[in-house]
Amino acid sequence: MKIDKNAIDKLLKQSDDQLWRTLQMIASLNGIDMSKVSRPANMSKLRSILSNLTDNDIGRAVEILESYRKSGK
């Protein structure tokens, strides 16, 4: 999945449950186990953060995910 502003905007159109499951799936595909992480009680805060991401923020997040996946940490 290519993560860019358009992808983020599509994610934000999902219900809270769908959004959380999608984020867990993206994390899993990058070697991050979120199975023990509870969905935030207030998804509006998460939605606000996602909606305000810049292209630079998204690029940096992708770099972090790639680094995490390569290191296996």
Side-chain angles (χ1 to χ4, degrees), residues 35-60:
S35 62
K36 296 180 183 172
V37 178
S38 299
R39 187 186 109 180
N42 187 350
M43 288 291 287
S44 64
K45 288 182 182 181
L46 179 58
R47 287 179 179 281
S48 177
I49 291 167
L50 290 173
S51 67
N52 289 305
L53 291 175
T54 65
D55 289 334
N56 288 339
D57 296 330
I58 295 168
R60 182 65 183 130

Side-chain angles (χ1 to χ4, degrees), residues 24-34 65-66 68-73:
Q24 287 179 308
M25 183 219 28
I26 292 168
S28 176
L29 291 172
N30 286 281
I32 301 169
D33 180 13
M34 289 183 51
L65 286 173
E66 288 173 356
Y68 187 91
R69 186 175 356 151
K70 288 177 184 175
S71 70
K73 294 181 181 180

Side-chain angles (χ1 to χ4, degrees), residues 1-8 10-11 26 58 62:
M1 170 182 202
K2 181 181 177 196
I3 301 174
D4 59 17
K5 190 65 174 154
N6 289 330
I8 298 294
K10 287 179 184 176
L11 289 175
I26 292 168
I58 295 168
V62 169

Side-chain angles (χ1 to χ4, degrees), residues 5-31:
K5 190 65 174 154
N6 289 330
I8 298 294
D9 290 341
K10 287 179 184 176
L11 289 175
L12 291 172
K13 291 179 182 176
Q14 296 180 339
S15 70
D16 286 350
D17 287 334
Q18 290 172 317
L19 174 59
W20 185 246
R21 284 192 303 270
T22 301
L23 293 175
Q24 287 179 308
M25 183 219 28
I26 292 168
S28 176
L29 291 172
N30 286 281

